[in-house]
Each structure stands twice: as structure tokens, then as C-alpha cells.
Amino acid sequence: MATTDRDGTEHEGLADVRTRIAGAAKAAGRAPDEVRLVAVSKTFGPEDILPVIEAGQRVFGENRVQEAAGKWPDLRDRFPDLELHLIGPLQTNKVREAVALFDCIESLDRPKLARVLAEEMAKQGRHPALFVQVNTGAEDQKAGVLPDEADAFIASCREEHGLTISGLMCIPPLDEEPSLHFALLEKIARRNGLSELSMGMSGDFETAIAFGATLVRVGTAIFGTR
Ligand SMILES: *Cc1c(COP(=O)(O)O)cnc(C)c1O
């Protein structure tokens, strides 16, 4: 896979992650282009992000609306084909800004948020792709719908709020084997007719690819430690 496909500059972290994605896809009998890389740029400024854009990366993830609103509008003006994903929790009072800024919201996880998103998307005529976040480890402190409640929540997003759900997202517990969580997310997606799976971070994206990830969200392995 080319690491210099657009602007001719190299970025070591990005090149390494791309090589590893391609290798993991191949090992799993999948085409490398079935796996999209979301470069997680939270806490990093434009001086760190720009070299990654210049090396050809176009999809980025941020976990806070406010932080993203501060740094992305300028970059978007310069690179109109950027795609921005919200991967952190979304409060309903930030929905207006989030719908205006993001191309994909990966953290839809409760009925009130579904309702407010549907209203705001209609109002703005902007329709970011939506992923339902599943709290596969049922951790108290973590966002996401519980696995047992996922089917009903997805159905209500579709039927009550008229939302199109693209896929599912999860963040496995830090101290557990991630593959069980990836397998669970895949199973919930399959029985709900969803084809996109956002799973896998710097420590486990190769495992996630083996379990069917179509998006991996990688920060540290590209940008360095935060
Ligand atoms: C920070 C973050 C990532 C990236 O984590 P790394 O370990 O730095 O790759 C992925 N997903 C979410 C939801 C995050 O908040």
C-alpha cells in the first residue's frame, strides 16, 4: 500500500500502521481496502496532524466536540476531502455543533441522543453516518448501550427516529482479552444487518481486523504517546 499516494511525503508512524493493517488483513484473508484507518488525533495540534494529512491520510477521529471545533475547520478549508469522526461521548447540548462538524458519529448510545440527533440532522439537512456504541464489557464508567439492549436500541433508532445506522463501535475493557469483545460486537452487528464494525486501537487493531473490523481507530501508534 502506498504511503505517499497524494502529496509525496512520508510519515513513519502512518506508514507503519498502514503496513500492519495490510498484513493483518492479508492474514485474515481480507482485502486491505476493506479496513479503513481512522487516525485518532485527539490532544495533537495542527503541527502534528498536517504531516499525516500530507502523507495521504484523510480520515481522522476526535473524542471531544469542543477540541475538534477548535482545530479542524481550518484544516478542512485546506483539505476539502477530509473525513472527521466523533469517537467520544456526545452530550445533547453539543449535538448541533457535532452534526455541523463531523461526517460520522460513532458514539450513539441512548434514546434521547437518537431523538436529538434526528431532529438536528433534519434541521441542518446534514446526515453524518451513525454508529451505535456498545458497552461490550458492561462497564459502569463506560459509554455505550449494553449488549442485551443493543437490538432494541438499534430498532428504535431505525423505527422511531428514522435514523440510518451504519454499524457498531466498541472499546473493550483494558484488562480483558479484546477478541471476545470483538466477536460479540460482530455477532450483534450481523443479527442486526449491519456491515460496519469500528473496533481496534493501537494495542489491538490487528486482532480486531482478524475479527472483521472495517474501521480501526488508531492514535498512539501513528502520533506517538499523548
Ligand atoms: C483515544 C481513542 C482511540 C485511540 O487510542 P490509541 O490507543 O491511542 O490508538 C480509539 N478509540 C477511542 C474511542 C479513543 O478515545
Side-chain angles (χ1 to χ4, degrees):
M1 198 189 290
T3 57
T4 56
D5 49 344
R6 294 194 204 226
D7 307 287
T9 58
E10 278 240 32
H11 185 284
E12 203 183 318
L14 179 67
D16 176 58
V17 168
R18 283 183 173 174
T19 303
R20 288 170 60 193
I21 289 173
K26 187 159 179 252
R30 305 178 61 198
D33 64 4
E34 283 177 37
V35 184
R36 301 183 74 213
L37 171 61
V38 180
V40 177
S41 50
K42 64 188 185 198
T43 77
F44 289 97
E47 68 284 3
D48 294 308
I49 297 172
L50 205 50
V52 177
I53 298 176
E54 284 171 344
Q57 178 66 23
R58 288 298 182 272
V59 187
F60 289 85
E62 289 282 344
N63 70 337
R64 289 169 189 269
V65 177
Q66 226 50 50
E67 183 188 339
K71 66 192 188 195
W72 283 97
D74 282 353
L75 290 166
R76 270 191 182 289
D77 285 346
R78 293 175 60 186
F79 301 94
D81 57 342
L82 289 177
E83 185 181 315
L84 202 53
H85 289 221
L86 178 65
I87 60 172
L90 178 56
Q91 296 170 287
T92 49
N93 65 0
K94 300 268 171 60
V95 164
R96 184 154 51 96
E97 211 170 353
V99 168
L101 183 63
F102 289 96
D103 305 292
C104 178
I105 293 172
E106 299 198 19
S107 49
L108 172 52
D109 67 352
R110 56 199 192 279
K112 186 179 178 201
L113 182 57
R115 178 170 58 75
V116 175
L117 271 170
E119 288 167 3
E120 194 56 38
M121 285 164 51
K123 207 185 284 176
Q124 294 188 27
R126 241 186 90 77
H127 294 86
L130 300 174
F131 282 60
V132 167
Q133 182 175 350
V134 182
N135 185 356
T136 55
E139 296 172 279
D140 285 338
Q141 78 283 10
K142 204 162 268 177
V145 292
L146 293 171
D148 285 353
E149 295 166 3
D151 295 359
F153 179 65
I154 293 162
S156 85
C157 286
R158 289 168 162 165
E159 289 152 25
E160 286 171 44
H161 303 292
L163 296 171
T164 299
I165 304 299
S166 298
L168 302 180
M169 184 269 255
C170 77
I171 310 168
L174 273 175
D175 54 355
E176 285 182 30
E177 169 56 40
S179 50
L180 302 171
H181 297 272
F182 298 151
L184 174 59
L185 198 71
E186 194 277 333
K187 193 169 128 194
I188 298 170
R190 185 150 30 90
R191 70 177 182 236
N192 284 283
L194 295 167
S195 55
E196 299 279 349
L197 289 170
S198 174
M199 56 192 199
M201 316 190 347
S202 290
D204 55 18
F205 68 86
E206 285 150 313
T207 306
I209 290 168
F211 281 83
T214 60
L215 280 88
V216 291
R217 309 178 309 271
V218 180
T220 310
I222 297 172
F223 291 97
T225 48
R226 290 181 288 272

